[in-house]
Amino acid sequence: MVNKGFAKHYYLMMLPGLIWLFMFSVLPMFGIVIAFQDYNPVQGMLGSKFVGLDTFEYMFSLNDTASIFFNTIFIAVMKIVGNLIIPLIFALMLNELRHMFIKRSIQTIVYLPHFLSWVILGGILLDIFSYQGPVNQLLSAFGFDPVLFFGRADLFPFLVVGSDIWKEFGFNTIIYLAALTGINTALYEAAAIDGASRQRMLWHITLPGIRTTVILLAVLGLGNVLNAGFDQIFNLYNPLVYSTGDIIDTWVYRAGLLNMQYELATAVGLLKSVAGFILISLSYFLAYRFTNYRIF
Amino acid sequence: MVYEKSARSKIFDIVLLVVLISISITCILPLWYTLSLSLSSKSAAAAGAVALWPVGFNLNSYVQLLQEGQFFKSFWISIQRVVLGVALNFIVVPLMAYPLSKTTKDFKMRNVFMWSVLFTMLFNGGLIPLYLTIKNLGLMNSIWALVLVGGAQTIVFNIILTMNFFRNLPSVLEEAALVDGAGPWYILYKLYIPLSVPVLATVTLFSIVYHWNEFLYGLIFMTREEFYPLQTYIQQLTVAVDPSSMTEDQYKRMSELSNRTLDAAKLFIAMLPVLAVYPFLQRFFIHGITLGSVKE
């Protein structure tokens, strides 16, 4: 049926995109060799001497390495769990709402923070939680001492997770709501005739109806265990909270671009890329096995 | 749908409504607070007197903003970046998505290309190799570094969304066009693109928001402030101090010294474009995301 001569048009269509991706995604991959070199900026990647795995040995001898990996995973795991559960609860509540206009309005409002950058939201949060900001004003009105929220290493990871959930819960609700609308309404009608209460419907119809979606999102979350959110932390942190708030990406930025430790930063970045690639591939594979999900 | 109309159920509805409205208020309250702060007097802001309404209403911070040349330079760079980025995204994404939406029967190399393109999304060289690549390509301080690097990382996701949408279009349409003698370019531009408004609107919104919000590439690829896009410019306001060492007192003093009303005005102006395009495009994106990504 299809004309075989079309293939050359298909190649032509893909050409601009392939060149674009090659120049700005594939070409940088060759820069990975720096991790195995004693990199000299003057001689470049081609002229620098290869030193094998020396940089990796050095990396594992640093105390920083263990703590940045721990911080990354700790923050990321809390985010994955929170971003799975809170939107689910929110979607279930929204689904119980009967006024369509109010439902739409609430949705429109809660999606909004997702579209604002962490530069903007970081600026707003730092002001709100600052020493003389509204949160501390409120605390002092109740007789509490002001707290330097974003200067406290012990609070920092939780503020990061909390603010991320606040920013994203509305947007993450979309998938759940789509799954909820996919449930056959005849089931609810039948249950109502049998005299089931709303709680019973929730337990026996709604939750089983979206079980696959929850499993799918949980499995896909696995791929993000090393992504604790560069933009957010970069815009919220300061030297006081490096001990608990420094993640792989922020550390790579500082070590590589500010302190010019090119080899070390590349090596850490490479380790993250490889581990991340394996985790994402694994999560896609598991999602396909358990829920028949395919990205394409 | 049939509902029980007991008093208990009604109370439940009211409680639910109150909870949901309170949650959605928390999503806009910080934005509202920022607006109020930007319209307040400096002394009221410093005293922490501003809560929900501007105290000592004035437009001084906006007047001050108008006099700051760099803010508008950066604003203009961001506008250019969004226009170029969205245009390129709009050209390249459908062009790549169309051949990739074919089966291997129609386009033999389809899977090879699909996996290569996907690989660039799942694996990357890391920050340092990317930085060195851009430097070697001579794109430092060029707006093309911002447009092309960011674009290369976001088009793959957009291609997958669009491709999945194309695949769900009824195949009889294309067959009918083929019978009438249409070629691949004609089918793409006269048939597929007009039918794909929801997904193309979604992808465009993502592209606008991404290019408007991105700040890191502005920070690392632009060595002079005059080339900073808006988000980078705003980001730099908050980290003007030496980040390598800081005590708690310094951090506290830094947050007290900042010009809170002016910063608030900058943050508010920086979020205006997103607030402006969002209501027009949001009715598309829910449709676009769920159609393109979740398959039963």
Side-chain angles (χ1 to χ4, degrees):
Chain A
M1 170 77 203
V2 171
N3 189 337
K4 290 293 168 212
F6 282 3
K8 65 171 187 288
H9 293 291
Y10 293 155
Y11 288 120
L12 204 60
M13 285 175 172
M14 298 198 48
L15 196 63
L18 289 177
I19 294 173
W20 190 356
L21 287 174
F22 179 81
M23 295 282 283
F24 297 95
S25 290
V26 180
L27 214 52
M29 288 179 197
F30 294 107
I32 286 167
V33 296
I34 294 168
F36 305 96
Q37 288 179 331
D38 177 15
Y39 183 72
N40 181 331
V42 181
Q43 284 159 333
M45 290 170 217
L46 297 175
S48 295
K49 210 175 82 212
F50 279 87
V51 292
L53 295 174
D54 284 8
T55 315
F56 288 89
E57 266 171 45
Y58 176 61
M59 179 175 95
F60 285 114
S61 71
L62 291 172
N63 290 331
D64 276 5
T65 311
S67 90
I68 61 164
F69 272 87
F70 173 80
N71 291 344
T72 306
I73 293 169
F74 182 65
I75 292 172
V77 168
M78 284 203 296
K79 276 188 184 178
I80 291 166
V81 175
N83 281 325
L84 197 66
I85 295 170
I86 305 290
L88 173 64
I89 295 170
F90 188 75
L92 290 175
M93 289 199 292
L94 210 54
N95 196 45
E96 292 290 315
L97 214 58
R98 293 166 200 181
H99 316 271
M100 279 317 281
F101 176 74
I102 299 177
K103 192 172 165 181
R104 289 258 166 73
S105 310
I106 290 176
Q107 276 176 273
T108 306
I109 293 168
V110 296
Y111 295 156
L112 187 58
H114 169 82
F115 290 98
L116 297 171
S117 74
W118 272 117
V119 172
I120 292 171
L121 292 179
I124 294 175
L125 286 175
L126 287 177
D127 186 274
I128 288 176
F129 286 94
S130 71
Y131 218 60
Q132 70 277 46
V135 174
N136 272 319
Q137 295 287 331
L138 202 66
L139 282 180
S140 62
F142 287 104
F144 292 102
D145 285 333
V147 182
L148 193 60
F149 286 99
F150 282 101
R152 287 262 302 267
D154 54 339
L155 293 178
F156 190 77
F158 302 99
L159 288 168
V160 164
V161 173
S163 55
D164 186 65
I165 292 171
W166 168 75
K167 182 180 191 275
E168 303 294 346
F169 80 89
F171 197 74
N172 290 334
T173 302
I174 294 177
I175 304 282
Y176 286 125
L177 285 177
L180 286 170
T181 41
I183 299 172
N184 191 348
T185 47
L187 293 172
Y188 291 103
E189 280 158 28
I193 290 165
D194 290 346
S197 66
R198 279 163 80 169
Q199 293 96 306
R200 281 209 158 263
M201 292 188 200
L202 177 70
W203 278 114
H204 296 294
I205 302 172
T206 311
L207 284 177
I210 57 168
R211 193 179 53 203
T212 7
T213 308
V214 180
I215 295 171
L216 173 66
L217 294 178
V219 172
L220 292 180
L222 176 71
N224 279 320
V225 168
L226 289 176
N227 287 322
F230 172 83
D231 282 13
Q232 182 192 14
I233 292 181
F234 191 72
N235 283 297
L236 290 174
Y237 82 162
N238 59 74
L240 294 175
V241 295
Y242 282 172
S243 61
T244 58
D246 208 9
I247 57 166
I248 300 170
D249 295 324
T250 52
W251 185 88
V252 167
Y253 173 83
R254 286 206 321 282
L257 292 170
L258 299 183
N259 302 333
M260 309 281 267
Q261 292 173 289
Y262 285 145
E263 306 94 331
L264 189 59
T266 307
V268 175
L270 174 60
L271 203 64
K272 193 210 154 190
S273 286
V274 171
F277 178 68
I278 294 169
L279 284 167
I280 293 176
S281 308
L282 188 70
S283 68
Y284 282 171
F285 172 74
L286 291 176
Y288 175 63
R289 283 292 300 274
F290 291 123
T291 62
N292 215 16
Y293 166 86
R294 272 191 275 174
I295 17 173
F296 58 82
Chain B
M1 215 188 240
V2 190
Y3 286 114
E4 50 170 325
K5 299 241 188 311
S6 67
R8 205 180 138 201
S9 183
K10 265 188 200 133
I11 293 169
F12 177 77
D13 280 342
I14 293 166
V15 172
L16 189 72
L17 199 62
V18 171
V19 170
L20 286 170
I21 291 176
S22 317
I23 293 173
S24 43
I25 286 173
T26 66
C27 288
I28 39 169
L29 202 57
L31 316 184
W32 178 253
Y33 168 75
T34 308
L35 179 62
S36 296
L37 194 63
S38 70
L39 294 169
S40 298
S41 74
K42 262 186 175 180
S43 54
V50 182
L52 288 182
W53 299 103
V55 178
F57 180 89
N58 69 73
L59 293 169
N60 287 348
S61 52
Y62 290 92
V63 173
Q64 213 179 330
L65 196 59
L66 283 173
Q67 290 157 351
E68 205 167 315
Q70 188 53 46
F71 183 86
F72 285 96
K73 260 189 214 162
S74 294
F75 200 96
W76 176 234
I77 288 170
S78 280
I79 300 272
Q80 286 176 291
R81 179 182 182 180
V82 168
V83 171
L84 290 171
V86 168
L88 275 176
N89 186 74
F90 201 84
I91 294 167
V92 171
V93 167
L95 275 179
M96 282 198 96
Y98 177 68
L100 290 174
S101 71
K102 302 287 150 228
T103 57
T104 40
K105 209 171 79 218
D106 293 334
F107 183 32
K108 227 195 264 167
M109 295 292 280
R110 186 258 172 198
N111 282 353
V112 177
F113 282 123
M114 192 65 232
W115 286 111
S116 324
V117 166
L118 194 67
F119 183 72
T120 67
M121 186 172 84
L122 302 182
F123 186 81
N124 62 72
L127 194 61
I128 309 302
L130 181 66
Y131 168 77
L132 293 172
T133 308
I134 297 306
K135 216 173 170 181
N136 292 337
L137 289 171
L139 288 174
M140 296 293 282
N141 288 327
S142 154
I143 192 163
W144 292 105
L146 305 178
V147 172
L148 294 171
V149 172
Q153 291 172 7
T154 47
I155 53 168
V156 179
F157 181 71
N158 292 344
I159 288 167
I160 293 172
L161 276 186
T162 311
M163 182 195 76
N164 283 334
F165 194 92
F166 283 174
R167 290 188 140 189
N168 288 333
L169 293 173
S171 59
V172 284
L173 284 174
E174 187 173 21
E175 280 158 26
L178 285 170
V179 170
D180 290 346
W185 298 87
Y186 190 87
I187 292 170
L188 175 60
Y189 284 105
K190 297 284 170 165
L191 200 62
Y192 274 49
I193 289 183
L195 287 172
S196 307
V197 172
V199 75
L200 293 175
T202 306
V203 162
T204 303
L205 175 70
F206 285 166
S207 185
I208 294 173
V209 171
Y210 172 80
H211 279 293
W212 184 261
N213 283 346
E214 205 283 323
F215 72 95
L216 179 68
Y217 299 136
L219 190 59
I220 61 180
F221 298 143
M222 304 295 128
T223 54
R224 291 210 300 272
E225 195 187 56
E226 55 189 288
F227 297 120
Y228 280 173
L230 189 61
Q231 303 280 335
T232 310
Y233 168 73
I234 291 175
Q235 204 273 333
Q236 280 298 287
L237 298 174
T238 52
V239 287
V241 264
D242 171 26
S244 57
S245 63
M246 204 194 279
T247 65
E248 206 171 313
D249 279 336
Q250 279 174 314
Y251 180 75
K252 213 184 283 178
R253 211 172 322 128
M254 192 184 83
S255 64
E256 277 163 8
L257 275 176
S258 65
N259 188 340
R260 291 177 68 202
T261 56
L262 181 61
D263 288 354
K266 286 175 180 166
L267 292 172
F268 192 75
I269 297 285
M271 63 177 132
L272 269 187
V274 171
L275 296 182
V277 294
Y278 170 75
F280 298 101
L281 290 170
Q282 76 116 4
R283 68 193 174 98
F284 289 118
F285 74 71
I286 302 169
H287 200 50
I289 295 163
T290 46
L291 267 182
S293 63
V294 182
K295 293 190 293 296
E296 293 301 317

